[in-house]
Amino acid sequence: DTGVSQDPRHKITKRGQNVTFRCDPISEHNRLYWYRQTLGQGPEFLTYFQNEAQLEKSRLLSDRFSAERPKGSFSTLEIQRTEQGDSAMYLCASSPGDSFQETQYFGPGTRLLVL
Amino acid sequence: DAKTTQPNSMESNEEEPVHLPCNHSTISGTDYIHWYRQLPSQGPEYVIHGLTSNVNNRMASLAIAEDRKSSTLILHRATLRDAAVYYCILRDVRQGGKLIFGQGTELSVKP
């Protein structure tokens, strides 16, 4: 078990460009979560998947954001037409899917800087 | 969403116990109390959780007030590696599995 991995770890882009992040959850974890964290703040929930189904989306997830988990394994988060306000750490977490009180295991995050 | 209130920061000396408080006066009967911590430049990690009774694990202890309006995370012997932001989170089973983080308490540990 190698834990949750995220790629890339760092991304610098220019305003208006599209970016895509990848998250590989712990093997056989059915639930996958995306969070965003800005400097000095706690992580904020964006969306979550149960297998390949996207079951909840936060109001923070504007129409420029899209997340997928096509085969119920890895997930991608795409941001179109990036804005400077999108600069943040994007965190992915996974959990087995047995209980809503279960532990979430977080990846190291992808730090995005939009110039 | 139920809210939690934590001090912004706390200091501790190495090898001494640390008591991190959390107030959650609007807690409902279905809210579990979870604690996560985030070390510098890492994602959050689970510490402990409980509903009504005090809980112990290898990392920490969780003391829950009888009226459940407050709780305390106890690190029995702080080490330099315990320096992190500690988040107290209420999880309602009816809200699905998402975690709602507040600002947390930044714990610094002095050698």
Side-chain angles (χ1 to χ4, degrees):
Chain A
D1 184 353
T2 57
V4 178
S5 60
Q6 294 187 244
D7 184 69
R9 295 290 308 278
H10 302 273
K11 178 72 176 178
I12 301 174
T13 191
K14 293 182 179 179
R15 190 177 52 186
Q17 298 294 304
N18 299 343
V19 294
T20 299
F21 309 141
R22 178 180 169 122
C23 170
D24 285 89
I26 293 172
S27 178
E28 298 185 1
H29 275 193
N30 294 326
R31 293 198 185 116
L32 187 148
Y33 301 80
W34 285 99
Y35 295 83
R36 181 176 72 184
Q37 184 174 26
T38 53
L39 209 57
Q41 303 296 315
E44 297 170 294
F45 168 77
L46 292 179
T47 188
Y48 98 94
F49 293 83
Q50 174 85 32
N51 299 311
E52 65 273 12
Q54 188 173 18
L55 295 187
E56 186 174 354
K57 293 195 292 186
S58 161
R59 284 173 291 178
L60 293 174
L61 214 63
S62 75
D63 56 6
R64 295 186 299 105
F65 287 70
S66 62
E68 294 183 343
R69 194 182 183 199
K71 297 183 180 178
S73 56
F74 73 92
S75 175
T76 58
L77 178 68
E78 181 184 16
I79 310 174
Q80 296 183 325
R81 305 181 303 280
T82 53
E83 302 173 355
Q84 289 183 324
D86 297 331
S87 295
M89 174 77 84
Y90 291 84
L91 293 159
C92 175
S94 71
S95 66
D98 300 324
S99 159
F100 281 123
Q101 297 300 328
E102 63 196 8
T103 298
Q104 290 187 17
Y105 298 86
F106 283 80
T110 294
R111 185 170 294 282
L112 172 67
L113 178 60
V114 182
L115 301 175
Chain B
D1 299 334
K3 301 292 186 195
T4 62
T5 304
Q6 300 177 252
N8 288 334
S9 61
M10 290 184 66
E11 268 189 3
S12 172
N13 294 317
E14 197 176 11
E15 299 190 5
E16 290 186 356
V18 182
H19 290 233
L20 297 164
C22 180
N23 287 321
H24 29 78
S25 58
T26 58
I27 191 170
S28 73
T30 51
D31 285 329
Y32 281 72
I33 303 159
H34 286 247
W35 285 79
Y36 280 71
R37 72 179 185 181
Q38 188 170 21
L39 279 64
S41 303
Q42 294 188 27
E45 65 174 350
Y46 169 80
V47 178
I48 200 166
H49 80 279
L51 181 62
T52 56
S53 303
N54 295 343
V55 185
N56 300 296
N57 67 20
R58 63 174 181 81
M59 287 182 72
S61 296
L62 176 60
I64 302 172
E66 197 169 334
D67 63 5
R68 301 211 322 129
K69 293 184 185 298
S70 65
S71 60
T72 302
L73 179 69
I74 303 165
L75 307 179
H76 295 286
R77 287 184 66 206
T79 69
L80 296 178
R81 290 181 295 178
D82 290 323
V85 179
Y86 286 78
Y87 297 99
C88 171
I89 299 166
L90 300 182
R91 291 181 83 178
D92 185 341
V93 66
R94 299 168 300 179
Q95 291 183 345
K98 66 187 177 189
L99 294 169
I100 301 173
F101 292 83
Q103 299 265 35
T105 296
E106 183 170 12
L107 175 67
S108 57
V109 181
K110 296 185 292 184

